[in-house]
Amino acid sequence: MEMSKAVELMFTYLKSQGAKPGTLRHYRHTTRIFQDFCRAQGLARVGDINHHHVRAYWAWLAERGYALGGYVRDTKRLFSFLVADEILPANPVAKAGSPRIREKEIKPLPAGLIEELLKAAGQGRNPLRDRALIVLMLDTGARVSELLGVRMGQVDPATRAIRVMGKGDRPRTVFYSYRSARFLNAYLAKERTALPGVESL
């Protein structure tokens, strides 16, 4: 089977299983990179690919500075699907081993930059809300999309806890500090009261 056809079958399968748009975009990107590599190697059909090619692909990614995690995961996902769907008799990734995935070091934002962000947030239409969101993101590690989806009933001021809906529709609880509470309370007491009927933060 042509590589492009195999990728489309996998894409259709993911959509049928309710994969999120972000997951589908990521899969499109990673498989496009894999297809480009295979094309350069003269590999047009998935049945032509063996574990040596898979190892060469991972080495090629590493040499170019790609973060391997998502690419390795999606390559495994593609070939596992092809075997499960009886398109391939064996999985070449299974014999390729697993490259060591180095964790990316996450560096904290400099204090001066945080103050600049807060100052810029103060120039918008809802400065108290925007500042509260920035401080909550920095404090809890929650994504902006998670915080924007929070409803008032998901915030517990007594324990300084917020129930957010994470990736894959998995709920989780994040906790915020006294400093974040000051920003959040200022917003709730002033700007938020001017938004009757709005459920979200």
Side-chain angles (χ1 to χ4, degrees), residues 101-140:
I101 310 297
R102 290 185 176 86
E103 294 291 331
K104 265 189 165 180
E105 181 185 358
I106 300 175
K107 297 181 179 179
L109 289 174
L113 181 55
I114 295 172
E115 294 308 318
E116 286 181 31
L117 283 171
L118 292 173
K119 184 177 178 182
Q123 307 303 312
R125 287 192 339 191
N126 302 104
L128 296 177
R129 182 203 61 184
D130 295 345
R131 286 175 176 161
L133 287 172
I134 288 171
V135 174
L136 284 169
M137 281 191 295
L138 294 170
D139 207 8
T140 64

Side-chain angles (χ1 to χ4, degrees), residues 15 20 29 41 44 50 67 69 87 91 93-94 102 129 140 169 171-172 174 178 189 199 201:
K15 286 198 290 188
K20 299 285 186 180
H29 169 73
Q41 304 300 311
N50 61 39
I87 294 167
N91 187 343
V93 178
R102 290 185 176 86
R129 182 203 61 184
T140 64
D169 290 334
R172 63 191 177 94
V174 296
Y178 286 109
E199 295 182 4
L201 283 179

Side-chain angles (χ1 to χ4, degrees), residues 37 40 52 58-59 69 80 134 145 160-162 169 174 199-200:
F37 171 81
H52 297 294
W58 289 340
S80 294
I134 288 171
S145 58
R160 299 195 314 281
I162 303 175
D169 290 334
V174 296
E199 295 182 4
S200 61

Side-chain angles (χ1 to χ4, degrees), residues 40-175:
Q41 304 300 311
L43 302 167
R45 301 176 65 82
V46 289
D48 297 336
I49 298 168
N50 61 39
H51 60 286
H52 297 294
H53 298 126
V54 174
R55 289 174 186 164
Y57 172 57
W58 289 340
W60 180 86
L61 289 171
E63 288 166 2
R64 284 155 181 76
Y66 285 91
L68 292 179
Y71 297 92
V72 170
R73 183 183 64 246
D74 285 353
T75 307
K76 290 180 177 179
R77 178 186 285 175
L78 172 63
F79 283 98
S80 294
F81 162 76
L82 294 174
V83 171
D85 231 34
E86 300 180 352
I87 294 167
L88 289 179
N91 187 343
V93 178
K95 294 177 65 178
S98 293
R100 189 171 69 180
I101 310 297
R102 290 185 176 86
E103 294 291 331
K104 265 189 165 180
E105 181 185 358
I106 300 175
K107 297 181 179 179
L109 289 174
L113 181 55
I114 295 172
E115 294 308 318
E116 286 181 31
L117 283 171
L118 292 173
K119 184 177 178 182
Q123 307 303 312
R125 287 192 339 191
N126 302 104
L128 296 177
R129 182 203 61 184
D130 295 345
R131 286 175 176 161
L133 287 172
I134 288 171
V135 174
L136 284 169
M137 281 191 295
L138 294 170
D139 207 8
T140 64
R143 300 172 181 85
V144 66
S145 58
E146 292 173 339
L147 290 175
L148 289 175
V150 168
R151 301 293 183 257
M152 292 304 298
Q154 295 168 246
V155 180
D156 184 357
T159 59
R160 299 195 314 281
I162 303 175
R163 191 79 165 156
V164 299
M165 191 62 69
K167 291 181 73 173
D169 290 334
R170 289 189 293 270
R172 63 191 177 94
T173 302
V174 296
F175 296 89

Side-chain angles (χ1 to χ4, degrees), residues 176-190:
Y176 56 94
S177 67
Y178 286 109
R179 183 184 187 223
S180 291
R182 289 198 301 272
F183 280 87
L184 181 58
N185 292 340
Y187 160 62
L188 295 176
K190 296 177 183 177

